[in-house]
Amino acid sequence: MTDMDAETTAHTEPMADEEEPLFSNLDLFLFSLIVGLVVYWFMSRKKPEPIPEFKKAPTTRETSFIEKMKKTSKNIIVFYGSQTGTGEEFANRMSKDAQRYGMKGMAADPEEYEMGELSRLSEIKNSLAIFCMATYGEGDPTDNAQDFYDWLQENDDEDLSGLNYTVFALGNKTYEHYNAMGKYVDKRLEELGAKRIFDLGLGDDDGNLEEDFISWREQFWPAVCEHFGVEALGDDSSIRQYELKEHTDINMNKVYTGEIGRLKSFEVQKPPFDSKNPFLATVTVNRRLNKAGDRHLMHLEVDISGSKIRYESGDHIAIFPTNDSALVNKLGQILGVDLDAVISLNNLDEESNKKHPFPCPTSYRTALTHYLDITNSPRTNVLYELAQYASDPKDQENMRKMASSSPEGKALYQSWVLGASRNILAVLEDMPSLKPPVDHLCELLPRLQARYYSIASSSKVHPNSIHICAVVVEYKTGTGRTNKGVATNWLKNKLVTDNSHKSTVPMYIRKSQFRLPFKATNPVIMIGPGTGIAPFMGFIQERAWLKEQGKEVGETVMFFGCRYKNEDYLYQEELEEAEKTQVLTQLNVAFSRDQEQKVYVQHLLKKNKEHIWKLIHSDNAHIYRDSEHLIIHESIANIFYHV
């Protein structure tokens, strides 16, 4: 028998008369020891961290500007309606000015506050509301001022008799509705009983908006001091709005890398998409439109599949570009800064809704690449604030002179900065003694804004694609430098590749009032020189789609102008095909330089004036025209007048 058998036999033998215990003393000891060890292990081990329960944080933003002004002892509030950032920039400058004149001001976005409280502003001594209001598109309010505009229109019984106010309007005189929003706010506030304490200021971006603003501001503040019986402090020192915090040990997952709003929003995309939450659209087509010539005119298509974005013909696509990395690197070198240092600029006013000038924390490189405008000429307030950092007294003197309202200063700023198209890098290069701290420079530079392009497609035909037509901007400056348009050069390099890397652009849709007539039977007359043809390509696609649906479509007439037929006749194949299929009932193209005597769009309009008059007078035709060519428009207007 084996050992195993013997052991088995021994354990299966019948028990003796005296019954043995179930467990021996040794078994009980070992069992107790094991239980004790298990209990000790459970009691002594580190308890797991509870999984945090993420809940939406309660809204703490103060919507009462009256209570905020009382809490912070401020008596001046500067509201801004801003689409491209300039109105907001002017508002911030005005609120900082208040301190120099012995008052305290705050800039405010009307979208964030209850504007019905304007009637309560009289509760604050020597109070004043300033409105820096830009006009967008066809006389429309900016996006952030839309609710304020609606409130002004809807509240006829509002009593604003205790409100002191003034308005500075920002616009462009080449547009039909020049400064319409600023003029409306100025007039409407007076109708509701408010007291205008200084005349409406009109800023013209087609001329010199900065000079218009400075001239108005220089007269405005003395008038305010006189009105309230206060004396200016004469404090011309630099006033910092933000303080620098350097992050030496930070989780990089908490650092902004170019997102406009929500952190990591480009990694995890969530609709709805808007100016604070753009969609990353893939570029699917990028081709040159013109056949020859020095200019580069391009057609791009971006894919919006799965985004739930909807658009209509005539809308605009807003695109957030990034600055040229070469310019950013040069700025880093000339300022002697580590561009990859992670920083935050925190508002010194803890009660302000605007905690940072751009998303923070972030690196200097990201700020100068994604968030700050480094290519436009710096405004006079930037030169004034930076003057203190010039070690050469002559540089200091010139910078302060350019920031003044004196005729000599204005002329110097016009010639040395604007005329020479100097951006901030060129200013620093041409003034070697100027060495500002990079954090102060980042505080002063305006935000890099989205660029708007008329959509060159119809959602009826291309529901998941948006088409763009643009000309690449590049030119030599008076100093011999080459300046490049930020967005168009960036878009030009958004190449379509066959590999896994996809070129993307952050974008959203800006709705427009530029629409086809509600009745498809109404004739349409479109006048679009150059890239002004873009929205009309969408119109033509939509009229073709309507015809395919069996709808009756009125006459569709196109007047297009370019320089040479064999060089920059944009969308030639598409236009000629539309004429062939009678989607375009009449295609008129002016090639201005193909013959000795120049021919422009207005010449073709004059030639067809009888037919145009019939469409307008008898058939209720809708007329559309590009809004970027003032001289052509005046000529066109004269033709319509004489018709």
Side-chain angles (χ1 to χ4, degrees):
M1 185 180 286
T2 64
D3 291 340
M4 177 65 77
D5 291 334
E7 186 178 10
T8 305
T9 303
H11 281 285
T12 57
E13 285 181 355
M15 293 182 181
D17 293 338
E18 185 177 350
E19 187 176 354
E20 295 182 2
L22 184 62
F23 297 106
S24 68
N25 290 336
L26 179 60
D27 291 333
L28 291 171
F29 172 76
L30 290 174
F31 179 75
S32 300
L33 180 62
I34 292 169
V35 170
L37 288 171
V38 170
V39 171
Y40 174 77
W41 181 76
F42 271 103
M43 295 295 291
S44 63
R45 73 170 181 158
K46 186 178 179 181
K47 293 182 180 180
E49 294 288 337
I51 298 173
E53 184 179 346
F54 291 99
K55 295 181 180 179
K56 187 175 180 180
T59 301
T60 57
R61 175 166 285 178
E62 177 67 73
T63 60
S64 170
F65 64 85
I66 296 294
E67 297 308 317
K68 179 169 285 191
M69 291 176 74
K70 288 179 177 179
K71 187 176 180 180
T72 55
S73 302
K74 289 175 178 163
N75 64 319
I76 292 181
I77 185 164
V78 192
F79 292 105
Y80 58 86
S82 183
Q83 196 70 31
T84 62
T86 308
E88 180 179 1
E89 180 191 338
F90 284 2
N92 284 323
R93 288 164 67 176
M94 293 294 284
S95 66
K96 288 176 73 173
D97 278 348
Q99 189 170 332
R100 295 190 173 102
Y101 288 89
M103 293 167 271
K104 293 185 71 176
M106 63 177 277
D109 184 342
E111 194 174 37
E112 296 181 351
Y113 293 100
E114 178 52 59
M115 297 304 287
E117 287 196 329
L118 283 173
S119 59
R120 293 183 55 203
L121 202 56
S122 58
E123 296 174 14
I124 299 172
K125 184 180 179 183
N126 287 352
S127 61
L128 170 66
I130 304 170
F131 297 85
C132 293
M133 308 305 294
T135 299
Y136 182 78
E138 300 297 308
D140 303 322
T142 58
D143 290 345
N144 76 309
Q146 183 66 57
D147 289 344
F148 175 47
Y149 175 76
D150 294 340
W151 179 82
L152 286 173
Q153 284 197 311
E154 295 164 3
N155 288 274
D156 291 331
D157 298 330
E158 193 73 32
D159 180 10
L160 299 181
S161 56
L163 173 67
N164 296 310
Y165 80 96
T166 192
V167 178
F168 183 81
L170 298 84
N172 187 310
K173 69 181 180 185
T174 65
Y175 286 77
E176 180 182 353
H177 304 282
Y178 173 51
N179 271 322
M181 181 60 180
K183 291 175 181 176
Y184 173 75
V185 171
D186 180 64
K187 179 184 176 184
R188 185 60 173 154
L189 290 174
E190 184 181 44
E191 289 174 351
L192 296 175
K195 182 178 181 181
R196 182 191 300 108
I197 69 163
F198 193 70
D199 292 339
L200 167 69
L202 297 175
D204 178 20
D205 197 35
D206 185 56
N208 189 330
L209 183 61
E210 177 73 10
E211 185 174 321
D212 294 338
F213 176 67
I214 290 174
S215 299
W216 177 85
R217 187 185 65 168
E218 289 292 324
Q219 299 174 59
F220 165 74
W221 283 114
V224 171
C225 291
E226 182 179 352
H227 178 83
F228 291 126
V230 298
E231 293 185 13
L233 295 180
D235 182 9
D236 290 333
S237 61
S238 175
I239 301 171
R240 291 294 299 265
Q241 189 176 352
Y242 299 92
E243 63 178 351
L244 172 67
K245 178 176 175 56
E246 296 175 323
H247 303 281
T248 55
D249 184 18
I250 188 171
N251 183 346
M252 294 306 290
N253 286 324
K254 297 180 179 179
V255 176
Y256 283 87
T257 56
E259 302 95 329
I260 305 301
R262 178 174 53 85
L263 188 65
K264 304 297 180 186
S265 60
F266 289 156
E267 294 179 16
V268 182
Q269 294 259 273
K270 296 178 181 178
F273 298 104
D274 54 27
S275 60
K276 296 181 175 67
N277 181 38
F279 175 68
L280 276 183
T282 301
V283 178
T284 56
V285 174
N286 186 347
R287 64 182 173 89
R288 184 169 178 166
L289 278 173
N290 51 322
K291 303 176 183 69
D294 297 331
R295 298 189 305 163
H296 184 100
L297 296 106
M298 56 188 175
H299 171 89
L300 289 95
E301 298 178 17
V302 298
D303 185 9
I304 56 170
S305 299
S307 67
K308 299 183 180 178
I309 289 175
R310 300 290 179 264
Y311 74 94
E312 294 181 64
S313 301
D315 284 344
H316 298 105
I317 179 173
I319 291 177
F320 288 95
T322 61
N323 288 313
D324 186 345
S325 60
L327 290 181
V328 174
N329 289 332
K330 282 184 181 179
L331 274 173
Q333 291 169 6
I334 204 167
L335 293 171
V337 64
D338 177 9
L339 290 173
D340 295 313
V342 178
I343 57 101
S344 289
L345 288 179
N346 301 322
N347 202 320
L348 291 165
D349 180 1
E350 295 181 356
E351 298 297 326
S352 174
N353 283 354
K354 188 175 183 179
K355 302 302 181 185
H356 316 283
F358 44 78
C360 291
T362 191
S363 67
Y364 285 122
R365 184 183 304 281
T366 298
L368 292 168
T369 302
H370 294 275
Y371 298 139
L372 297 172
D373 186 342
I374 62 173
T375 58
N376 277 319
S377 296
R379 298 198 187 276
T380 57
N381 67 302
V382 176
L383 299 179
Y384 180 87
E385 296 275 355
L386 295 182
Q388 60 185 308
Y389 302 115
S391 57
D392 186 339
K394 187 66 176 176
D395 286 344
Q396 274 199 27
E397 179 186 346
N398 283 332
M399 292 179 77
R400 291 201 168 102
K401 182 186 291 183
M402 286 188 284
S404 73
S405 58
S406 69
E408 298 82 9
K410 288 180 179 179
L412 184 60
Y413 177 73
Q414 177 63 43
S415 61
W416 198 82
V417 178
L418 298 182
S421 299
R422 279 184 171 90
N423 56 30
I424 190 61
L425 176 60
V427 170
L428 292 169
E429 288 176 336
D430 294 344
M431 284 188 170
S433 83
L434 180 60
K435 300 291 182 184
V438 66
D439 63 292
H440 198 179
L441 181 64
C442 287
E443 175 180 327
L444 293 170
L445 290 174
R447 284 290 297 269
L448 180 61
Q449 299 294 325
R451 272 34 177 195
Y452 297 90
Y453 298 94
S454 294
I455 294 176
S457 55
S458 166
S459 60
K460 299 288 192 299
V461 183
H462 301 284
N464 294 315
S465 178
I466 293 176
H467 300 183
I468 304 166
C469 171
V471 57
V472 176
V473 177
E474 185 173 326
Y475 60 94
K476 282 281 186 183
T477 72
T479 64
R481 296 178 172 91
T482 298
N483 278 5
K484 296 181 178 182
V486 176
T488 54
N489 281 275
W490 177 72
L491 286 171
K492 178 185 175 183
N493 293 317
K494 290 291 179 179
L495 304 178
V496 180
T497 59
D498 295 329
N499 57 35
S500 58
H501 174 74
K502 294 182 178 179
S503 294
T504 58
V505 295
M507 52 74 62
Y508 69 96
I509 297 299
R510 212 281 177 176
K511 293 297 180 182
S512 169
Q513 302 299 319
F514 201 67
R515 291 280 184 265
L516 280 168
F518 180 75
K519 290 183 178 180
T521 53
N522 285 115
V524 167
I525 302 170
M526 300 173 289
I527 306 164
T531 55
I533 195 175
F536 303 135
M537 295 308 298
F539 282 10
I540 292 167
Q541 289 177 14
E542 190 145 328
R543 301 281 270 193
W545 179 83
L546 288 168
K547 288 191 74 171
E548 289 174 3
Q549 304 305 307
K551 301 285 180 66
E552 183 183 351
V553 177
E555 284 200 49
T556 306
V557 179
M558 180 78 216
F559 288 90
F560 173 65
C562 60
R563 295 183 297 181
Y564 303 101
K565 181 175 183 178
N566 295 326
E567 185 173 305
D568 51 3
Y569 185 179
L570 308 184
Y571 297 108
Q572 179 179 356
E573 293 80 9
E574 292 91 331
L575 291 174
E576 291 178 352
E577 178 63 23
E579 183 183 34
K580 183 180 176 182
T581 58
Q582 279 297 288
V583 172
L584 275 178
T585 52
Q586 191 177 338
L587 174 61
N588 307 277
V589 186
F591 305 108
S592 62
R593 302 182 190 181
D594 269 347
Q595 58 285 313
E596 186 175 341
Q597 188 173 0
K598 292 182 179 179
V599 177
Y600 293 111
V601 165
Q602 60 265 35
H603 296 127
L604 299 185
L605 284 166
K606 191 172 184 178
K607 183 179 177 181
N608 289 272
K609 62 182 182 181
E610 287 82 7
H611 182 57
I612 293 171
W613 175 246
K614 174 187 175 295
L615 293 177
I616 297 171
H617 181 69
S618 304
D619 302 332
N620 194 26
H622 286 229
I623 304 168
Y624 303 87
R625 51 119 174 103
D626 165 38
S627 300
E628 297 179 353
H629 303 272
L630 173 63
I631 295 172
I632 293 177
H633 287 167
E634 288 180 338
S635 302
I636 291 169
N638 287 332
I639 289 167
F640 284 144
Y641 176 76
H642 289 299
V643 166

